[in-house]
Amino acid sequence: GESVGLHLPTLSVQEGDNSIINCAYSNSASDYFIWYKQESGKGPQFIIDIRSNMDKRQGQRVTVLLNKTVKHLSLQIAATQPGDSAVYFCAEGYGQNFVFGPGTRLSVLP
Amino acid sequence: DGGITQSPKYLFRKEGQNVTLSCEQNLNHDAMYWYRQDPGQGLRLIYYSQIVNDFQKGDIAEGYSVSREKKESFPLTVTSAQKNPTAFYLCASSIGGVRQTQYFGPGTRLLVL
């Protein structure tokens, strides 16, 4: 497969544990945020989004938390499974722009 | 199935050659985008198009060209002027403008011979 992120920070978690992936965004004017999952050699897959008028949103096994005060976004994955192993990156939207973070590699240990 | 397709999966370019990457979507999305992905970096926008026959340069448009003759198709040409073309190229589309959720294709890996 392709190496999407050779020098990315890595988070290793035991199968069944919860994972928390963090993202610091840059622009206080950003009002729309997305988390993507990217497996090796594949295109990014939409996971969950949140707008700035919310501070929490839940999906299936995933929760996104937004702290606008410190410009921080997190993705929580409950009961992490081997299929969750991938690179996860956030995107922040402001004006006519989207800015994508480099991502974090999640490694699920058996 | 609805989705975005990119072809080829791998593409090899000889020095001085122009190559074209294909992107097709059947989601009836108005907007389409091309990004470049390099190891350890976030996606960088090359070009985007919000409607047919119109497109705008992104952050790294130099050495690339696009066309949008049909709503479904947004091909990217990597010209010989792009001196460092080796990268993973991702096409995306969204219902409306740039601020809508973008859905990605599977990508094309471009390598230089």
Side-chain angles (χ1 to χ4, degrees):
Chain A
E2 303 297 336
S3 296
V4 170
L6 290 176
H7 307 292
L8 297 176
T10 298
L11 174 67
S12 297
V13 299
Q14 292 291 142
E15 181 178 353
D17 287 352
N18 296 337
S19 302
I20 300 176
I21 300 170
N22 297 304
C23 177
Y25 64 93
S26 59
N27 195 322
S28 57
S30 295
D31 60 3
Y32 180 47
F33 305 87
I34 306 175
W35 278 103
Y36 288 95
K37 171 187 179 183
Q38 187 174 22
E39 297 175 78
S40 186
K42 297 184 178 180
Q45 176 186 358
F46 172 87
I47 302 175
I48 192 167
D49 59 0
I50 188 168
R51 298 205 177 266
S52 59
N53 60 351
M54 304 172 69
D55 53 21
K56 180 179 180 179
R57 192 168 186 215
Q58 290 185 289
Q60 187 177 13
R61 273 201 313 121
V62 294
T63 301
V64 55
L65 299 178
L66 175 62
N67 185 331
K68 295 182 286 293
T69 301
V70 294
K71 293 188 288 187
H72 184 268
L73 193 68
S74 69
L75 176 70
Q76 301 178 5
I77 304 173
T80 310
Q81 302 169 359
D84 295 327
S85 292
V87 172
Y88 292 80
F89 59 88
C90 65
E92 60 176 301
Y94 60 91
Q96 292 295 308
N97 300 300
F98 258 119
V99 175
F100 295 84
T104 296
R105 183 178 304 282
L106 176 64
S107 177
V108 182
L109 307 173
Chain B
D1 288 338
I4 304 172
T5 58
Q6 292 185 241
S7 62
K9 184 174 175 66
Y10 295 95
L11 185 59
F12 298 92
R13 192 191 90 164
K14 295 179 181 179
E15 192 170 340
Q17 185 182 40
N18 294 352
V19 293
T20 298
L21 285 62
S22 169
C23 178
E24 304 278 333
Q25 55 97 2
N26 60 5
L27 300 168
N28 200 32
H29 285 174
D30 289 315
M32 297 186 74
Y33 316 84
W34 275 105
Y35 291 93
R36 171 179 171 138
Q37 187 173 42
D38 294 282
Q41 297 187 35
L43 302 181
R44 292 185 290 169
L45 182 64
I46 304 172
Y47 268 98
Y48 67 99
S49 168
Q50 298 194 52
I51 56 172
V52 174
N53 292 323
D54 187 51
F55 47 83
Q56 285 78 40
K57 293 181 179 180
D59 300 321
I60 55 166
E62 185 174 352
Y64 301 97
S65 66
V66 294
S67 63
R68 187 87 186 275
E69 297 176 3
K70 299 187 299 181
K71 187 175 184 178
E72 302 80 18
S73 179
F74 191 40
L76 173 74
T77 297
V78 183
T79 75
S80 57
Q82 173 48 246
K83 298 307 179 186
N84 184 24
T86 298
F88 192 50
Y89 290 87
L90 288 161
C91 179
S93 70
S94 64
I95 293 174
V98 179
R99 296 287 305 286
Q100 301 295 318
T101 301
Q102 296 178 27
Y103 297 90
F104 288 85
T108 292
R109 168 68 59 174
L110 177 60
L111 299 164
V112 177
L113 296 176

